[in-house]
């Protein structure tokens, strides 16, 4: 019986060790490029508290999920993940390292994966899987705690992603708003979606994003005190920009005291906002739009926008005031306003 028991123990031990050995082999064979590219596949995936799957992630769940694919076994919580690996200074960070932040109280409360160029990918509580800078002066920079290296990934054995043929991977020189989008990128006003090499020209804009772009374009002072809006919580990613445009009287809240940061921007709202932001003059003569009458609430702003040459309306003679703007249209209008 003793022999049988020893044999069973030996078999069980070997069974438990085999997956660990496989994990170690996978970790050493994986490249940092693999880790980064795999993480970027989930950009835009919503934040879900307690989530650890592609249907929704929280910060530590996302890190655990991506590292598991790379063959690295990590504990589930942020604080536990901070307790493994080897500490790495900010100057020596490599793609695949884990970066940690203190977002409230003391200790660590947020984690992401460093992807190079001072950027990290993480599960943002409002924007979902997103890319930010570890040196972001408005939020992440002051909350950085440290980094851990949990695996020695190879430098990059896999085939690199194809280089963009234009200013972005999805904006070539033949794109209708190429020059405007390139101008905003070069001026440091508007970048790729979520910090990626893709501009996503057809994606809609939110009021929070518009606040961020206008604050940058107009060099407005960002104030990181709590915003005076019921739907903009303390620590919200665009809090400083929202305060800036509100203080400047460019974008204010609604009658209920809300900013509606995730609402999309319509053409009529753009006219109202740009009229205030760029002090557009009243139109000297009327531009006849088939769907905007003189008694329309945004009539004067729409006329000012047209008179300034920022927009000429639609080909059918309409303005389509309630149509939602996409990123490329906004980029064109913004560039025409500031050049």
């Amino acid at each position: 019986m003793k022999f049988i028991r020893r044999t069973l123990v030996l078999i069980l031990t070997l069974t438990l060790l085999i997956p660990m050995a496989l994990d170690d082999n996978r970790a050493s064979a994986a490249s940092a490029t693999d880790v980064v590219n795999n993480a970027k596949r989930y950009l835009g995936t919503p934040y879900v508290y307690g989530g650890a799957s592609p249907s929704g992630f929280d910060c530590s769940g996302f890190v655990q999920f991506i590292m598991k694919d790379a063959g690295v076994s990590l504990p589930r919580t942020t604080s536990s993940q901070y307790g493994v690996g080897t500490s790495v200074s900010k100057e020596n960070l490599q793609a695949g390292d884990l970066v940690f932040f203190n977002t409230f109280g003391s200790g660590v409360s947020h984690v992401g994966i460093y992807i190079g160029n001072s950027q990290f990918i993480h599960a943002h509580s409002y924007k979902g899987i997103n890319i930010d800078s570890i040196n972001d002066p408005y939020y992440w920079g002051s909350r950085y705690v440290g980094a851990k290296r949990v695996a020695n990934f190879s430098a990059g054995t896999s085939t690199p992603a194809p280089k963009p043929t234009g200013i972005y991977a999805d904006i070539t020189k033949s794109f209708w708003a190429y020059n405007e989008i390139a101008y905003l990128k070069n001026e440091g006003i508007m970048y790729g979606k979520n910090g990626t090499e893709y501009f996503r020209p057809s994606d809609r804009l939110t009021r929070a994003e518009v606040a961020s772009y206008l604050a940058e374009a107009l060099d407005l002072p960002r104030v990181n005190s709590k915003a005076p809006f019921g739907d903009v919580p303390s620590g919200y990613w665009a809090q400083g920009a929202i305060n800036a445009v509100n203080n400047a009287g460019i974008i204010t809240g609604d009658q209920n005291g809300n900013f509606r940061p995730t609402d999309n921007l319509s053409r009529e709202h753009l006219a109202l906002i740009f009229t205030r932001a760029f002090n557009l003059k009243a139109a000297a003569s009327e531009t006849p739009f088939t769907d905007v009458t003189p008694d329309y609430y945004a009539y004067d702003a729409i006329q000012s926008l047209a008179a300034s040459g920022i927009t000429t309306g639609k080909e059918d003679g309409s303005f389509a005031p309630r149509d939602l703007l996409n990123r490329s249209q906004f980029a064109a209008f913004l560039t025409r306003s500031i050049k």
Side-chain angles (χ1 to χ4, degrees):
M1 288 296 293
K2 289 183 179 180
F3 174 77
I4 294 174
R5 282 199 299 269
R6 288 181 185 137
T7 303
L8 290 173
V9 169
L10 178 60
I11 292 173
L12 180 59
T13 301
L14 289 173
T15 302
L16 291 172
L17 286 173
I18 288 172
M20 293 174 65
L22 288 174
D23 280 352
D24 289 341
N25 289 335
R26 288 178 62 193
S28 61
S31 72
T33 302
D34 293 331
V35 174
V36 172
N37 286 344
N38 187 35
K40 286 183 177 180
R41 289 175 52 208
Y42 299 97
L43 280 168
T45 300
Y47 179 92
V48 174
Y49 180 76
S53 73
S55 61
F57 294 105
D58 64 14
C59 66
S60 58
F62 176 65
V63 168
Q64 184 188 53
F65 180 87
I66 295 300
M67 288 298 164
K68 182 179 179 181
D69 275 355
V72 180
S73 179
L74 290 178
R76 177 62 178 86
T77 66
T78 300
S79 58
S80 296
Q81 290 175 3
Y82 190 61
V84 301
T86 304
S87 294
V88 182
S89 66
K90 185 181 284 189
E91 295 75 20
N92 293 315
L93 282 171
Q94 296 178 7
D97 290 340
L98 306 189
V99 286
F100 294 87
F101 303 84
N102 173 21
T103 53
F104 62 87
S106 59
V108 296
S109 52
H110 191 74
V111 61
I113 301 171
Y114 186 70
I115 62 174
N117 297 320
S118 298
Q119 293 184 319
F120 72 107
I121 187 168
H122 62 126
H124 194 291
S125 57
Y126 299 109
K127 301 171 75 174
I129 303 304
N130 187 61
I131 293 174
D132 285 298
S133 170
I134 62 172
N135 298 317
D136 169 34
Y138 303 110
Y139 192 78
W140 298 110
S142 62
R143 290 167 170 80
Y144 183 82
V145 174
K148 292 296 184 73
R149 185 161 298 156
V150 295
N152 291 315
F153 297 112
S154 59
T157 57
S158 59
T159 303
K163 295 291 184 183
T165 57
I167 194 72
Y168 292 102
D170 52 356
I171 302 293
T172 62
K173 289 187 176 180
S174 62
F175 188 72
W176 72 272
Y178 175 89
N179 290 332
E180 291 88 346
I181 292 170
Y183 173 80
L184 294 179
K185 181 179 182 181
N186 292 335
E187 291 296 312
I189 295 171
M190 193 173 182
Y191 293 103
K193 188 69 177 285
N194 294 329
T196 70
E197 68 270 25
Y198 292 89
F199 188 77
R200 307 296 185 196
S202 298
D203 283 8
R204 305 299 185 191
L205 291 108
T206 65
R207 284 164 59 87
E209 289 173 325
V210 171
S212 179
Y213 298 141
L214 285 177
E216 194 67 43
L218 299 172
D219 197 24
L220 300 176
R222 305 195 187 208
V223 182
N224 282 321
S225 58
K226 189 179 186 309
F229 302 107
D231 56 352
V232 180
S234 181
Y236 186 67
W237 73 272
Q239 176 180 307
I242 289 171
N243 281 332
V245 296
N246 177 59
N247 292 340
I250 296 172
I251 310 178
T252 55
D254 61 20
Q255 64 271 23
N256 297 317
N258 293 318
F259 189 83
R260 306 198 310 275
T262 59
D263 281 9
N264 295 129
L265 189 72
S266 65
R267 289 168 61 85
E268 60 187 355
H269 288 153
L270 174 89
L272 292 166
I273 291 169
F274 273 35
T275 297
R276 295 190 289 262
F278 300 103
N279 297 314
L280 300 182
K281 296 179 180 179
S285 60
E286 179 190 39
T287 301
F289 293 116
T290 59
D291 54 354
V292 181
T293 58
D295 59 347
Y296 192 68
Y297 85 102
Y299 176 81
D300 290 339
I302 291 171
Q303 289 296 325
S304 294
L305 194 72
S308 69
I310 296 173
T311 180
T312 57
K314 301 283 188 176
E315 291 182 357
D316 62 1
S318 68
F319 183 78
R322 296 183 180 179
D323 279 8
L324 299 178
L325 285 170
N326 62 36
R327 285 171 56 82
S328 58
Q329 292 166 340
F330 178 82
F333 294 154
L334 182 58
T335 300
R336 293 169 194 165
S337 300
I338 60 181
K339 285 189 72 173

